[in-house]
Amino acid sequence: MNTLIQSLLAERDKNVNWHPYTQMKTAGDAIPIVRGKGVYLFDDEGKKYIDAVSSWWVTLHGHAHPYIAERVYQQLTTLEQVIFAGFTHEPAVQLSENLLNLLPKNQKKVFYSDNGSTAVEAALKMCIQYAYNSGKEKTKILAFKNAYHGDTFGAMSVSGRSVWTKPFGSMLFEVVFIDTPNAENLESLKIQISEIAEETACFIYEPLVQGAAGMLMYEAEHLDELMKFCRSKEILMIQDEVFTGFGRTGKLFAANHLAEIPDIMCFSKGLTGGTMPMGITTCSQEIFNAFLSDDKYKTLFHGHSFTANPLACTAALASMELLLQEETLAAIDRISRQHSDFTDILEQHPNVENVRQTGTILAFELKTDQHTSYFNEVGKVLYDEFLQRGIIMRPLGNVMYLVPPYCITAEELDFTYRNILEVLDTFKNQVHFPIHAAGQE
Ligand SMILES: *Cc1c(COP(=O)(O)O)cnc(C)c1O
């Protein structure tokens, strides 16, 4: 292909498309991607890119996976969609059975929606209405500072306040934000929670890794302590595994690192292997039971047009089959080990700080004069540099991270590491970047 076609597509795109999280005035042309295969994406000039961020953390087994494609095609020619109120279908039943089998034993019911944000919305409604249906006055919600649970209004309300949420500040419902737990602050967190426990309906958290905040990590044992305390105070727990689910943390779910169990869990992103949009909210029998009544007002009045879409369910079934194969689990282990070895190297690097890793998620910060924030200018420079080198990384400010699809080979991962080290060396003598973007506060 030639550049004329590229510029044409980029131009047409500019005429009609409004891209997510993009300042359209200053953004460069979008890169037209014409196909994907495994860990690679190909642009219209035939240049290939390693998708080191799994296309916004969703792709598990690589792009255009033939097995998932075949299964979805078969389903598409059998049943593509059916209203899920009053009707059901094999893919939805099978997927619910298979998923519940992998989750903590108290998870008994599956509620379908379209994406991570809607999975969170449904979870929040379950908790608030659980209290309502039980005749209790509990409307406070507890969440972590820097949390990210999505972009719809409810999900935004339980996310940390930032420049992203600023224009909507007055419209967001009140949430009590606490620090993520560590050995030092656990007791003071418990005191904070105690003070509002009676009015608190639920606690929502990203387990072990706060993704959008910049891959901030905290220990499972400290979360366990906090969960145990919430349980003792009858505060429902929503474990948002939209990002951490399906192998990301080195185990199938972040739940597999924890001794305590949540009441509700949220899934999306890797759920369909990154092929189709779908969200799932699971809950315990106790929560489900609180909505059973002859009183119609106790119904969970929530639903989306594409609830339990058969194609998305089928993609999720196929992706989960692939995920549970021995070679995929071995690949997750291998990526985790490679990351861990690379962590040792990064820690020696003079330009790098705060190296951290949980399973297949690796993150570190480039030392700069600027505060760590989403708007740190370094990110854009790095982004362009890695694109040049045929690697898609999307730094969150000066936080660089890798979240590769599990199909990435040892060699492809080493290639990525090598390029990171080269780029870091390029920047070794020029860590002073101009400060002109707005800060996080
Ligand atoms: C991405 C994300 C969401 C939102 O999911 P969308 O599908 O983008 O709406 C919610 N929670 C967490 C932890 C996420 O990382």
Side-chain angles (χ1 to χ4, degrees):
M1 300 274 175
N2 58 48
T3 37
L4 187 68
I5 290 174
Q6 178 180 23
S7 61
L8 208 65
L9 197 56
E11 204 55 43
R12 282 167 54 208
D13 176 84
K14 241 188 197 138
N15 281 337
V16 291
N17 288 335
W18 191 344
H19 289 264
Y21 280 95
T22 303
Q23 174 43 261
M24 298 300 293
K25 179 171 179 184
T26 50
D29 287 355
I31 300 170
I33 295 296
V34 294
R35 68 186 178 93
K37 191 176 191 328
V39 76
Y40 292 104
L41 290 167
F42 298 83
D43 72 14
D44 58 351
E45 291 185 298
K47 179 170 174 155
K48 66 176 184 178
Y49 304 85
I50 288 186
D51 187 356
V53 297
S54 295
S55 281
W56 249 347
W57 323 345
V58 301
T59 309
L60 296 193
H61 313 294
H63 292 281
H65 196 286
Y67 180 66
I68 301 177
E70 177 58 29
R71 291 279 301 269
V72 172
Y73 174 77
Q74 292 303 333
Q75 185 62 43
L76 189 50
T77 55
T78 308
L79 175 71
E80 85 302 345
Q81 163 72 353
V82 60
I83 175 175
F84 205 60
F87 295 86
T88 191
H89 50 82
E90 176 69 26
V93 175
Q94 189 69 57
L95 176 57
S96 298
E97 289 173 352
N98 290 8
L99 180 63
L100 290 177
N101 264 332
L102 300 176
L103 298 182
K105 289 287 160 267
N106 71 329
Q107 297 298 297
K108 294 287 190 215
K109 290 288 186 286
V110 174
F111 189 89
Y112 286 97
S113 64
D114 308 314
N115 58 69
S117 302
T118 54
V120 167
E121 296 288 340
L124 292 172
K125 281 192 175 178
M126 283 179 190
C127 290
I128 299 294
Q129 196 177 342
Y130 173 86
Y132 175 88
N133 284 1
S134 321
K136 291 188 188 133
E137 269 291 325
K138 283 188 168 195
T139 52
K140 278 206 164 71
I141 294 174
L142 202 58
F144 282 139
K145 288 174 187 164
N146 296 312
Y148 180 76
H149 296 289
D151 283 350
T152 51
F153 267 85
M156 201 167 35
S157 292
V158 293
S159 298
R161 300 295 181 264
S162 72
V163 286
W164 298 347
T165 60
K166 203 160 185 189
F168 317 106
S170 64
M171 319 284 290
L172 303 179
F173 54 73
E174 208 189 308
V175 170
V176 178
F177 291 102
I178 58 172
D179 287 318
T180 48
N182 55 49
E184 284 74 48
N185 71 3
L186 256 171
E187 290 314 310
S188 77
L189 290 181
K190 287 181 190 174
I191 293 169
Q192 263 179 282
I193 296 172
S194 288
E195 281 164 5
I196 54 159
E198 297 236 316
E199 314 116 279
T200 302
C202 62
F203 167 41
I204 182 168
Y205 54 92
E206 295 161 89
L208 310 190
V209 186
Q210 294 186 291
M215 304 295 164
L216 302 177
M217 299 178 189
Y218 63 98
E219 301 292 326
E221 60 172 304
H222 300 134
L223 179 57
D224 264 332
E225 278 274 331
L226 216 51
M227 291 173 72
K228 205 185 322 176
F229 189 72
C230 285
R231 173 80 58 215
S232 76
K233 296 287 176 188
E234 295 182 7
I235 297 171
L236 296 177
M237 288 171 270
I238 303 173
Q239 188 156 303
D240 179 353
E241 295 231 25
V242 166
F243 172 48
T244 52
F246 305 99
R248 278 293 167 212
T249 64
K251 300 191 181 192
L252 275 185
F253 299 97
N256 300 110
H257 296 266
L258 295 163
E260 297 296 318
I261 49 175
D263 301 279
I264 293 179
M265 298 178 77
C266 301
F267 307 94
S268 186
K269 294 205 164 106
L271 170 59
T272 62
T275 59
M276 307 214 42
M278 181 154 82
I280 279 182
T281 310
T282 62
C283 72
S284 65
Q285 191 67 42
E286 189 191 338
I287 294 195
F288 180 77
N289 286 350
F291 292 75
L292 300 178
S293 174
D294 294 325
D295 177 357
K296 285 206 173 79
Y297 290 103
K298 294 196 171 175
T299 308
L300 180 66
F301 290 113
H302 188 97
H304 298 277
S305 313
F306 287 101
T307 296
N309 172 259
L311 301 175
C313 289
T314 301
L317 279 167
S319 173
M320 275 167 53
E321 260 178 53
L322 295 172
L323 180 65
L324 295 175
Q325 283 178 357
E326 228 162 272
E327 56 184 283
T328 312
L329 298 175
I332 292 172
D333 274 346
R334 192 248 312 147
I335 294 166
S336 304
R337 265 182 285 114
Q338 275 187 278
H339 272 357
S340 168
D341 291 345
F342 187 53
T343 295
D344 296 339
I345 296 169
L346 280 175
E347 273 168 351
Q348 306 301 318
H349 203 283
N351 277 12
V352 167
E353 57 191 350
N354 301 326
V355 185
R356 48 198 184 258
Q357 184 221 347
T358 301
T360 71
I361 309 161
L362 170 73
F364 59 94
E365 287 162 34
L366 192 67
K367 281 187 195 161
T368 74
D369 293 352
Q370 299 177 48
H371 281 300
T372 296
S373 93
Y374 182 76
F375 289 102
N376 194 310
E377 287 291 291
V378 181
K380 173 74 181 122
V381 179
L382 294 170
Y383 175 71
D384 290 340
E385 177 64 30
F386 281 106
L387 275 183
Q388 284 286 329
R389 292 165 176 264
I391 298 167
I392 301 177
M393 294 201 21
R394 207 170 181 278
L396 295 154
N398 66 323
V399 180
M400 298 214 261
Y401 68 88
L402 292 175
V403 178
Y406 308 145
C407 66
I408 194 168
T409 64
E411 293 71 31
E412 286 157 349
L413 203 46
D414 278 337
F415 170 84
T416 309
Y417 295 153
R418 236 178 6 257
N419 274 277
I420 288 172
L421 290 176
E422 278 174 27
V423 171
L424 285 174
D425 285 337
T426 318
F427 282 75
K428 196 175 264 173
N429 300 313
Q430 45 170 105
V431 288
H432 304 285
F433 290 89
I435 302 172
H436 50 76
Q440 186 94 30
E441 255 104 40

